Amino acid sequence: MTDQAALDALKTALAAALPGAVVSAAYGEVNVVLSAADIVRALTALRDTEGLKFTTLIDITGVDHPERAKRFDVVYHLLSMTRNARVRLKAELGEGEAIESAVAVYPAASWFEREAFDMYGILFANHPDLRRILTDYGFSGHPLRKDF
């Protein structure tokens, strides 16, 4: 999204739909930072709110910041085909903490959450089948952590 007016309109709509979230834009992309406890509520609002309709989950990944108390950023990338817009949601999570699974909102989240669990050790509460997906079951560690 490069049109500044469309970007500003999207920021305003997201801020209205997600009270308490920090909405910003940089380089033509919209970012939303919110608490881990609010992630499922936010994903549901973005999917269901008329005028937003972020119906496609593109990816869920992690970013490791071992120097922080809340070590991980759990990052969700969504697409609204009707708006032709993308949005990135981020929530901080400490090691050993769990974030609620998004599988009930976006069934495709199952694969992405298993991947983030396997590669980073990020825990997703109430995931229907949280187990390794890319590494061997006997593998010890998480390959994308910066201290691996």
Side-chain angles (χ1 to χ4, degrees):
M1 176 177 289
T2 56
D3 178 17
Q4 189 61 44
L7 194 64
D8 291 341
L10 180 57
K11 280 176 43 183
T12 301
L14 289 169
L18 304 172
V22 177
V23 181
S24 64
Y27 305 106
E29 296 181 0
V30 178
N31 299 292
V32 178
V33 178
L34 62 161
S35 73
D38 292 334
I39 198 67
V40 170
R41 178 191 59 80
L43 291 170
T44 303
L46 292 179
R47 182 194 66 193
D48 296 343
T49 300
E50 201 57 47
L52 292 178
K53 295 294 184 185
F54 283 91
T55 56
T56 306
L57 175 68
I58 301 297
D59 190 25
I60 301 172
T61 191
V63 180
D64 186 12
H65 299 277
E67 71 284 356
R68 292 190 332 204
K70 291 206 175 260
R71 173 179 189 155
F72 301 106
D73 283 339
V74 184
V75 184
Y76 300 77
H77 295 104
L78 303 173
L79 170 66
S80 172
M81 303 264 258
T82 57
R83 283 189 86 110
N84 188 26
R86 294 174 186 266
V87 67
R88 177 184 304 114
L89 278 72
K90 291 196 294 188
E92 289 185 359
L93 194 66
E95 187 168 4
E97 294 178 356
I99 190 167
E100 189 67 27
S101 174
V103 171
V105 183
Y106 295 103
S110 181
W111 179 276
F112 300 131
E113 289 176 356
R114 286 180 64 186
E115 208 172 36
F117 166 71
D118 194 3
M119 296 290 105
Y120 291 98
I122 296 170
L123 300 172
F124 293 89
N126 300 312
H127 187 282
D129 188 21
L130 193 62
R131 59 190 163 101
R132 291 195 180 270
I133 198 166
L134 297 172
T135 61
D136 188 73
Y137 295 117
F139 185 79
S140 179
H142 303 283
L144 293 181
R145 286 188 179 196
K146 291 191 177 174
D147 59 0
F148 177 69

